[in-house]
Amino acid sequence: MGKIIGIDLGTTNCCVCVSEGGNPSVIPNREGSRTTPSVVGFTETGERLIGHIARRQSITNPKNTVFAAKRLIGQKFEGAETQKALDVLPYEVVPAANGDAWIKIRDQNFSPQEISGMILKHLKEAAEHYLGEPVSEAIITVPAYFNDIQRQATRDAGTIAGLDVKRIINEPTAAALAYGLEKSFNGKVAVFDLGGGTFDISILEVVDGVFEVKSTSGDTFLGGEDFDKAILDWMVECFQADTGINLKFDKMALQRLKEAAEKAKCELSSVMETEITLPFISADATGAKHLNLKLNRSTFNELITPLVERTKPPCLDALGAAKLNVEDLDRVILVGGQTRTPLIQEMVQKIFKKPPTSDLNPDEVVGIGAAIQGAILKGDVKDIVLLDVTPLSLGIETQGGLVYKMIEKNSNIPTSFTQIFTTVTDNQTTVGIHILQGESELAENNKSLARFELVDIPPAPKGVPQIEVSFEIDSNGIVNVSAVDKLSNRKQSTKIMPSSGLSPDEIEEIIKRAEQHSDEDDKRKELIKKRNKLEGLVYTVERTQAQYSAYLNEVELKKLRDEIVNAKRALASEEEIKVLESLNRLGQLSKTLSEVIMFNPQSKRGEE
């Protein structure tokens, strides 16, 4: 059994880790960084750029650079979350055939799972390069408040990347694992996790290596991206007030503003004022316009206060669900890069009445915890047990559009529950099972996960048949549902394939496309190498021929000059066969030229 890597697939940045001999460590990427931006760029030539290199070209290529794909994973195009995201995304988001939110780049549509799969594959390759061996298994973390659809979509992304996802675990739980292994403490812990796109709060109890999640709550659409947008909107308003120009419709300007907003936000975590300077941000009839603003921490706090306040209700909800008071907590742990913001730290202390802990790097702690979970599954770590919970209630729709909750939120997983139902009309031979996730008593206000039918039930008066419905949630938080008619023993079951998930055929098609693109990338790399070699040879031969033309007769000179012209045409065509043929011909002529120079250093050769 090979190594199991742990991956924190973040909205803004990712981190991949591994545990060796029970000691977790962060795996650096090819650039040497410990975290990798969750960014994918598509160039005009069809090349895919991932991570830092994709982020660097985003300002000049905003429409074809995808960031924050995690916010769209498992979301419907018409959903409120997607519509919020559209305000700041420079790339195009379109509805798929099933209503999902997909990403359109250069006339090709990509699911958020496929984009996430590209990032995961990049991390997988970095791990293989670092470890010197193939990697096929991974633990991937998700926000604790992700629903079943989003968890399934994340697992699909792992499959697309060529990973066997051994476990999906909640980000706050992973962070607690990292702290628990590092500090070996017992007690009750609140994990406050505010990352680039999501907010989670989890309450855990740690006793002698047993990590039991008592409750979880959160907001899947609150994070650093929203803090950036608050600054961006302020900059747009200030610039419009000063110049009369509205930058909201200029995609390239918006990308520059977003980069500047994120930079200013980070700086204001350690300084009281920062200067934002963006030359040539726009122009009008009077000439070029530059943006020059100063943002102090006081103004920044005013801008983000509504966002910071949104973290309070989930914290109180989690405490209530765990039946605890703030005085019962022994520690509050900060996770996620956005928790570096001073106002966030003040809010955490205000809510929990104690200073928070951030001993470990908040950008790395989740990935470290995921690696520890991998070590637990392998048996390398034997003194830790993880007991997680389901973040949302699960149930089925009953008569009149009501919901019967089968499994309440914050139930320990894995878990199962069985309930007997019956028919509502005489001689009913089919029963529809509509599976829902959420807290509302009304079906229409919850998330629809799946529907299936139990058919060929023997006709009987209403209320007589006994339909046994069983719900099971596995250790990944993924749902399985079955229904059986007790009289006929007819059974129907489903492993939830959410309405916004990818079918196995679609996943297979994406994997094939990825493999095909990988082959194309390899061929392109080989072509680039050959082109570079030919370009270098043309340069060398031209210089040598010019310097030693006196030692060549007219026939040899014409051959060289003609082949140099052909080589330049081959380079312009970018056709591999032409480049290769020209490389061979010019290489032979280059050898002839070398021989001429070697054997006739002083005198011109005679005419042939």
Side-chain angles (χ1 to χ4, degrees):
M1 186 178 185
K3 292 182 175 67
I4 301 177
I5 57 174
I7 300 177
D8 173 13
L9 180 62
T11 306
T12 307
N13 291 296
C14 299
C15 183
V16 57
C17 303
V18 68
S19 180
E20 297 181 282
N23 296 313
S25 59
V26 176
I27 296 175
N29 58 30
R30 293 294 186 96
E31 292 88 358
S33 298
R34 293 166 69 87
T35 58
T36 300
S38 306
V39 183
V40 179
F42 297 80
T43 68
E44 289 184 2
T45 60
E47 190 177 1
R48 295 175 185 177
L49 309 174
I50 298 170
H52 292 284
I53 190 171
R55 187 170 186 172
R56 282 194 291 269
Q57 57 86 64
S58 62
I59 291 176
T60 57
N61 187 30
K63 290 184 179 179
N64 303 301
T65 303
V66 181
F67 60 88
K70 184 176 176 178
R71 284 197 151 182
L72 299 174
I73 202 164
Q75 299 289 358
K76 291 294 186 184
F77 178 78
E78 296 294 342
E81 293 84 357
T82 302
Q83 294 307 308
K84 288 179 195 173
L86 294 182
D87 290 341
V88 294
L89 297 178
Y91 52 85
E92 189 176 358
V93 180
V94 297
N98 63 356
D100 290 0
W102 280 34
I103 297 156
K104 186 173 184 178
I105 301 291
R106 300 189 187 278
D107 298 323
Q108 186 174 358
N109 292 345
F110 297 91
S111 69
Q113 294 95 307
E114 187 170 1
I115 296 294
S116 298
M118 294 175 194
I119 297 168
L120 289 170
K121 186 176 181 183
H122 182 77
L123 298 174
K124 173 180 180 285
E125 290 170 351
E128 289 175 333
H129 176 75
Y130 176 83
L131 296 170
E133 62 182 72
V135 171
S136 61
E137 298 175 322
I139 308 293
I140 301 179
T141 64
V142 295
Y145 225 52
F146 255 25
N147 60 35
D148 185 73
I149 293 172
Q150 293 165 307
R151 289 168 190 269
Q152 288 275 21
T154 303
R155 178 179 282 277
D156 291 345
T159 302
I160 290 167
L163 289 167
D164 176 10
V165 183
K166 307 304 290 185
R167 188 69 54 87
I168 297 284
I169 66 169
N170 293 334
E171 290 165 4
T173 309
L177 275 178
Y179 270 94
L181 191 68
E182 187 77 16
K183 302 297 181 182
S184 300
F185 64 81
N186 286 346
K188 296 179 180 67
V189 185
V191 182
F192 186 101
D193 183 358
L194 184 61
T198 58
F199 167 62
D200 289 313
I201 177 71
S202 292
I203 310 295
L204 300 91
E205 184 171 14
V206 184
V207 179
D208 297 331
V210 177
F211 287 69
E212 182 178 359
V213 181
K214 292 294 187 181
S215 67
T216 189
S217 189
D219 187 332
T220 55
F221 221 83
L222 174 63
E225 295 285 335
D226 303 291
F227 287 68
D228 296 344
K229 185 177 184 299
I231 299 175
L232 186 151
D233 290 343
W234 173 79
M235 288 191 290
V236 168
E237 289 174 13
C238 291
F239 188 77
Q240 186 168 11
D242 185 43
T243 65
I245 299 172
N246 187 349
L247 295 174
K248 278 201 170 181
F249 304 103
D250 185 336
K251 294 287 188 182
M252 189 172 290
L254 278 178
Q255 188 61 26
R256 290 181 68 192
L257 289 170
K258 185 181 184 302
E259 294 276 331
E262 184 179 359
K263 182 173 180 285
K265 175 190 71 177
C266 294
E267 289 176 354
L268 287 170
S269 293
S270 56
V271 300
M272 298 305 293
E273 185 176 83
T274 185
E275 190 169 349
I276 304 169
T277 303
L278 294 172
F280 303 100
I281 191 70
S282 188
D284 61 12
T286 63
K289 299 296 178 185
H290 316 294
L291 184 145
N292 293 287
L293 295 170
K294 287 186 178 179
L295 178 61
N296 58 43
R297 189 179 290 179
S298 176
T299 302
F300 175 54
N301 286 348
E302 289 178 17
L303 294 173
I304 65 171
T305 292
L307 299 171
V308 175
E309 289 289 339
R310 281 171 56 186
T311 65
K312 187 174 181 180
C315 291
L316 300 178
D317 176 60
L319 280 169
K323 297 180 174 58
L324 295 174
N325 297 315
V326 290
E327 295 79 11
D328 299 321
L329 296 175
D330 298 292
R331 180 170 293 177
V332 180
I333 296 171
L334 295 182
V335 179
Q338 198 56 55
T339 59
R340 292 187 175 95
T341 302
L343 191 62
I344 287 290
Q345 295 175 10
E346 291 172 20
M347 174 58 79
V348 172
Q349 186 156 351
K350 181 180 175 183
I351 294 170
F352 296 105
K353 313 296 185 194
K354 55 175 59 68
T357 299
S358 55
D359 299 344
L360 299 179
N361 187 327
D363 293 324
E364 300 173 357
V365 64
V366 170
I368 290 171
I372 293 168
Q373 176 63 26
I376 293 170
L377 291 185
K378 279 190 66 179
D380 293 343
V381 174
K382 296 182 170 61
D383 54 351
I384 292 179
V385 177
L386 176 61
L387 301 174
D388 217 333
V389 297
T390 180
L392 298 164
S393 298
L394 288 154
I396 63 171
E397 182 176 357
T398 58
Q399 188 176 13
L402 298 178
V403 177
Y404 183 89
K405 290 183 180 178
M406 298 283 286
I407 297 176
E408 295 282 348
K409 76 171 185 175
N410 292 319
S411 298
N412 283 113
I413 56 174
T415 189
S416 61
F417 184 81
T418 300
Q419 180 66 37
I420 299 294
F421 295 89
T422 188
T423 52
V424 294
T425 60
D426 290 335
N427 301 317
Q428 185 175 337
T429 59
T430 301
V431 172
I433 309 292
H434 184 197
I435 305 157
L436 300 157
Q437 189 168 35
E439 306 313 313
S440 176
E441 300 295 326
L442 299 176
E444 62 185 16
N445 295 333
N446 291 297
K447 193 80 170 179
S448 174
L449 297 184
R451 297 173 184 265
F452 68 91
E453 290 186 338
L454 182 63
V455 298
D456 295 332
I457 300 170
K462 67 178 181 179
V464 172
Q466 289 189 309
I467 312 298
E468 184 181 82
V469 178
S470 298
F471 270 57
E472 179 184 339
I473 306 180
D474 66 18
S475 53
N476 299 298
I478 292 174
V479 184
N480 295 272
V481 180
S482 64
V484 59
D485 172 37
K486 301 289 282 183
L487 179 62
S488 64
N489 209 33
R490 292 191 178 278
K491 184 177 181 180
Q492 179 67 41
S493 64
T494 182
K495 181 176 182 179
I496 301 296
M497 176 55 63
S499 57
S500 63
L502 296 171
S503 69
D505 289 343
E506 287 172 322
I507 292 172
E508 187 62 33
E509 180 61 33
I510 289 171
I511 291 171
K512 285 179 181 176
R513 193 161 69 210
E515 289 172 350
Q516 181 182 0
H517 194 275
S518 180
D519 291 341
E520 290 170 359
D521 279 352
D522 290 341
K523 287 179 182 177
R524 180 156 186 81
K525 286 174 186 173
E526 285 303 311
L527 175 59
I528 289 170
K529 287 179 183 177
K530 288 169 185 171
R531 286 186 81 257
N532 290 344
K533 189 174 180 181
L534 182 56
E535 280 180 351
L537 189 58
V538 168
Y539 175 78
T540 302
V541 169
E542 277 188 316
R543 289 196 61 180
T544 307
Q545 173 244 308
Q547 188 174 354
Y548 294 99
S549 60
Y551 301 129
L552 299 171
N553 62 42
E554 288 302 320
V555 174
E556 289 167 334
L557 273 173
K558 186 174 185 307
K559 268 188 182 179
L560 268 178
R561 287 168 181 157
D562 288 348
E563 195 51 53
I564 288 170
V565 171
N566 289 335
K568 289 179 178 179
R569 286 175 182 162
L571 287 169
S573 75
E574 292 204 359
E575 292 182 33
E576 186 176 12
I577 188 165
K578 289 183 178 179
V579 170
L580 188 58
E581 288 174 352
S582 185
L583 188 60
N584 290 334
R585 288 196 301 267
L586 192 58
Q588 288 298 322
L589 287 175
S590 174
K591 289 179 182 177
T592 302
L593 179 59
S594 299
E595 290 171 1
V596 167
I597 295 166
M598 184 182 298
F599 293 110
N600 299 276
Q602 301 296 329
S603 60
K604 186 178 178 180
R605 295 183 71 196
E607 296 289 327
E608 290 188 358

PDB file of all heavy atoms in Angstrom, residues 195-212:
ATOM      1  N   GLY A 195     -12.001  30.496   5.377  1.00  0.00           N
ATOM      2  CA  GLY A 195     -11.042  30.424   4.280  1.00  0.00           C
ATOM      3  C   GLY A 195     -11.382  31.385   3.165  1.00  0.00           C
ATOM      4  O   GLY A 195     -11.999  32.427   3.367  1.00  0.00           O
ATOM      5  N   GLY A 196     -11.009  31.003   1.946  1.00  0.00           N
ATOM      6  CA  GLY A 196     -11.225  31.880   0.809  1.00  0.00           C
ATOM      7  C   GLY A 196     -12.664  31.969   0.361  1.00  0.00           C
ATOM      8  O   GLY A 196     -13.083  32.984  -0.193  1.00  0.00           O
ATOM      9  N   GLY A 197     -13.437  30.896   0.579  1.00  0.00           N
ATOM     10  CA  GLY A 197     -14.811  30.918   0.073  1.00  0.00           C
ATOM     11  C   GLY A 197     -15.871  30.436   1.027  1.00  0.00           C
ATOM     12  O   GLY A 197     -17.064  30.634   0.790  1.00  0.00           O
ATOM     13  N   THR A 198     -15.482  29.772   2.123  1.00  0.00           N
ATOM     14  CA  THR A 198     -16.471  29.184   3.025  1.00  0.00           C
ATOM     15  C   THR A 198     -16.117  29.446   4.481  1.00  0.00           C
ATOM     16  O   THR A 198     -14.957  29.658   4.828  1.00  0.00           O
ATOM     17  CB  THR A 198     -16.559  27.658   2.806  1.00  0.00           C
ATOM     18  OG1 THR A 198     -15.272  27.077   3.019  1.00  0.00           O
ATOM     19  CG2 THR A 198     -17.044  27.325   1.404  1.00  0.00           C
ATOM     20  N   PHE A 199     -17.154  29.397   5.322  1.00  0.00           N
ATOM     21  CA  PHE A 199     -16.960  29.532   6.761  1.00  0.00           C
ATOM     22  C   PHE A 199     -17.585  28.338   7.464  1.00  0.00           C
ATOM     23  O   PHE A 199     -18.726  27.954   7.169  1.00  0.00           O
ATOM     24  CB  PHE A 199     -17.609  30.821   7.281  1.00  0.00           C
ATOM     25  CG  PHE A 199     -17.705  30.864   8.783  1.00  0.00           C
ATOM     26  CD1 PHE A 199     -16.559  30.834   9.571  1.00  0.00           C
ATOM     27  CD2 PHE A 199     -18.936  30.912   9.430  1.00  0.00           C
ATOM     28  CE1 PHE A 199     -16.636  30.838  10.953  1.00  0.00           C
ATOM     29  CE2 PHE A 199     -19.028  30.930  10.805  1.00  0.00           C
ATOM     30  CZ  PHE A 199     -17.877  30.897  11.570  1.00  0.00           C
ATOM     31  N   ASP A 200     -16.825  27.737   8.387  1.00  0.00           N
ATOM     32  CA  ASP A 200     -17.315  26.617   9.193  1.00  0.00           C
ATOM     33  C   ASP A 200     -16.965  26.849  10.647  1.00  0.00           C
ATOM     34  O   ASP A 200     -15.909  27.399  10.958  1.00  0.00           O
ATOM     35  CB  ASP A 200     -16.650  25.298   8.771  1.00  0.00           C
ATOM     36  CG  ASP A 200     -17.131  24.819   7.418  1.00  0.00           C
ATOM     37  OD1 ASP A 200     -18.341  24.817   7.196  1.00  0.00           O
ATOM     38  OD2 ASP A 200     -16.279  24.455   6.591  1.00  0.00           O
ATOM     39  N   ILE A 201     -17.837  26.381  11.512  1.00  0.00           N
ATOM     40  CA  ILE A 201     -17.527  26.327  12.940  1.00  0.00           C
ATOM     41  C   ILE A 201     -17.896  24.930  13.419  1.00  0.00           C
ATOM     42  O   ILE A 201     -19.010  24.451  13.176  1.00  0.00           O
ATOM     43  CB  ILE A 201     -18.277  27.416  13.753  1.00  0.00           C
ATOM     44  CG1 ILE A 201     -17.995  27.275  15.233  1.00  0.00           C
ATOM     45  CG2 ILE A 201     -19.756  27.420  13.434  1.00  0.00           C
ATOM     46  CD1 ILE A 201     -16.611  27.642  15.656  1.00  0.00           C
ATOM     47  N   SER A 202     -16.953  24.264  14.048  1.00  0.00           N
ATOM     48  CA  SER A 202     -17.200  22.919  14.579  1.00  0.00           C
ATOM     49  C   SER A 202     -16.799  22.867  16.042  1.00  0.00           C
ATOM     50  O   SER A 202     -15.801  23.467  16.442  1.00  0.00           O
ATOM     51  CB  SER A 202     -16.414  21.863  13.797  1.00  0.00           C
ATOM     52  OG  SER A 202     -16.898  21.740  12.482  1.00  0.00           O
ATOM     53  N   ILE A 203     -17.595  22.157  16.825  1.00  0.00           N
ATOM     54  CA  ILE A 203     -17.294  21.930  18.239  1.00  0.00           C
ATOM     55  C   ILE A 203     -16.923  20.468  18.394  1.00  0.00           C
ATOM     56  O   ILE A 203     -17.681  19.572  17.992  1.00  0.00           O
ATOM     57  CB  ILE A 203     -18.506  22.253  19.142  1.00  0.00           C
ATOM     58  CG1 ILE A 203     -19.084  23.635  18.816  1.00  0.00           C
ATOM     59  CG2 ILE A 203     -18.104  22.146  20.603  1.00  0.00           C
ATOM     60  CD1 ILE A 203     -18.171  24.795  19.102  1.00  0.00           C
ATOM     61  N   LEU A 204     -15.730  20.210  18.939  1.00  0.00           N
ATOM     62  CA  LEU A 204     -15.249  18.843  19.119  1.00  0.00           C
ATOM     63  C   LEU A 204     -14.875  18.612  20.573  1.00  0.00           C
ATOM     64  O   LEU A 204     -14.506  19.545  21.295  1.00  0.00           O
ATOM     65  CB  LEU A 204     -14.013  18.562  18.262  1.00  0.00           C
ATOM     66  CG  LEU A 204     -14.115  18.693  16.758  1.00  0.00           C
ATOM     67  CD1 LEU A 204     -13.742  20.086  16.305  1.00  0.00           C
ATOM     68  CD2 LEU A 204     -13.215  17.653  16.081  1.00  0.00           C
ATOM     69  N   GLU A 205     -14.963  17.345  20.952  1.00  0.00           N
ATOM     70  CA  GLU A 205     -14.444  16.931  22.252  1.00  0.00           C
ATOM     71  C   GLU A 205     -13.344  15.909  22.005  1.00  0.00           C
ATOM     72  O   GLU A 205     -13.543  14.917  21.295  1.00  0.00           O
ATOM     73  CB  GLU A 205     -15.535  16.333  23.133  1.00  0.00           C
ATOM     74  CG  GLU A 205     -15.022  15.992  24.533  1.00  0.00           C
ATOM     75  CD  GLU A 205     -16.134  15.611  25.495  1.00  0.00           C
ATOM     76  OE1 GLU A 205     -17.257  15.357  25.046  1.00  0.00           O
ATOM     77  OE2 GLU A 205     -15.851  15.561  26.704  1.00  0.00           O
ATOM     78  N   VAL A 206     -12.177  16.168  22.579  1.00  0.00           N
ATOM     79  CA  VAL A 206     -11.027  15.283  22.412  1.00  0.00           C
ATOM     80  C   VAL A 206     -10.733  14.623  23.758  1.00  0.00           C
ATOM     81  O   VAL A 206     -10.465  15.311  24.750  1.00  0.00           O
ATOM     82  CB  VAL A 206      -9.792  16.069  21.933  1.00  0.00           C
ATOM     83  CG1 VAL A 206      -8.638  15.127  21.659  1.00  0.00           C
ATOM     84  CG2 VAL A 206     -10.121  16.885  20.689  1.00  0.00           C
ATOM     85  N   VAL A 207     -10.819  13.297  23.790  1.00  0.00           N
ATOM     86  CA  VAL A 207     -10.554  12.552  25.020  1.00  0.00           C
ATOM     87  C   VAL A 207      -9.672  11.361  24.685  1.00  0.00           C
ATOM     88  O   VAL A 207     -10.098  10.433  23.989  1.00  0.00           O
ATOM     89  CB  VAL A 207     -11.855  12.070  25.700  1.00  0.00           C
ATOM     90  CG1 VAL A 207     -11.528  11.284  26.967  1.00  0.00           C
ATOM     91  CG2 VAL A 207     -12.777  13.233  26.008  1.00  0.00           C
ATOM     92  N   ASP A 208      -8.451  11.395  25.169  1.00  0.00           N
ATOM     93  CA  ASP A 208      -7.506  10.287  24.990  1.00  0.00           C
ATOM     94  C   ASP A 208      -7.423   9.809  23.544  1.00  0.00           C
ATOM     95  O   ASP A 208      -7.494   8.614  23.240  1.00  0.00           O
ATOM     96  CB  ASP A 208      -7.890   9.111  25.901  1.00  0.00           C
ATOM     97  CG  ASP A 208      -7.796   9.489  27.371  1.00  0.00           C
ATOM     98  OD1 ASP A 208      -6.962  10.359  27.701  1.00  0.00           O
ATOM     99  OD2 ASP A 208      -8.561   8.929  28.178  1.00  0.00           O
ATOM    100  N   GLY A 209      -7.298  10.759  22.634  1.00  0.00           N
ATOM    101  CA  GLY A 209      -7.122  10.418  21.232  1.00  0.00           C
ATOM    102  C   GLY A 209      -8.396  10.171  20.455  1.00  0.00           C
ATOM    103  O   GLY A 209      -8.349   9.891  19.261  1.00  0.00           O
ATOM    104  N   VAL A 210      -9.555  10.257  21.109  1.00  0.00           N
ATOM    105  CA  VAL A 210     -10.836  10.120  20.411  1.00  0.00           C
ATOM    106  C   VAL A 210     -11.368  11.516  20.104  1.00  0.00           C
ATOM    107  O   VAL A 210     -11.632  12.306  21.012  1.00  0.00           O
ATOM    108  CB  VAL A 210     -11.864   9.331  21.245  1.00  0.00           C
ATOM    109  CG1 VAL A 210     -13.202   9.271  20.514  1.00  0.00           C
ATOM    110  CG2 VAL A 210     -11.345   7.929  21.530  1.00  0.00           C
ATOM    111  N   PHE A 211     -11.494  11.836  18.810  1.00  0.00           N
ATOM    112  CA  PHE A 211     -11.981  13.140  18.364  1.00  0.00           C
ATOM    113  C   PHE A 211     -13.458  12.997  17.998  1.00  0.00           C
ATOM    114  O   PHE A 211     -13.793  12.432  16.958  1.00  0.00           O
ATOM    115  CB  PHE A 211     -11.196  13.611  17.136  1.00  0.00           C
ATOM    116  CG  PHE A 211      -9.801  14.051  17.444  1.00  0.00           C
ATOM    117  CD1 PHE A 211      -8.831  13.139  17.829  1.00  0.00           C
ATOM    118  CD2 PHE A 211      -9.450  15.387  17.344  1.00  0.00           C
ATOM    119  CE1 PHE A 211      -7.536  13.538  18.097  1.00  0.00           C
ATOM    120  CE2 PHE A 211      -8.158  15.806  17.612  1.00  0.00           C
ATOM    121  CZ  PHE A 211      -7.197  14.883  17.998  1.00  0.00           C
ATOM    122  N   GLU A 212     -14.323  13.499  18.852  1.00  0.00           N
ATOM    123  CA  GLU A 212     -15.757  13.402  18.591  1.00  0.00           C
ATOM    124  C   GLU A 212     -16.305  14.780  18.253  1.00  0.00           C
ATOM    125  O   GLU A 212     -16.223  15.716  19.052  1.00  0.00           O
ATOM    126  CB  GLU A 212     -16.501  12.840  19.794  1.00  0.00           C
ATOM    127  CG  GLU A 212     -17.988  12.689  19.522  1.00  0.00           C
ATOM    128  CD  GLU A 212     -18.750  12.075  20.686  1.00  0.00           C
ATOM    129  OE1 GLU A 212     -18.121  11.751  21.712  1.00  0.00           O
ATOM    130  OE2 GLU A 212     -19.981  11.934  20.568  1.00  0.00           O
TER     131      GLU A 212
END
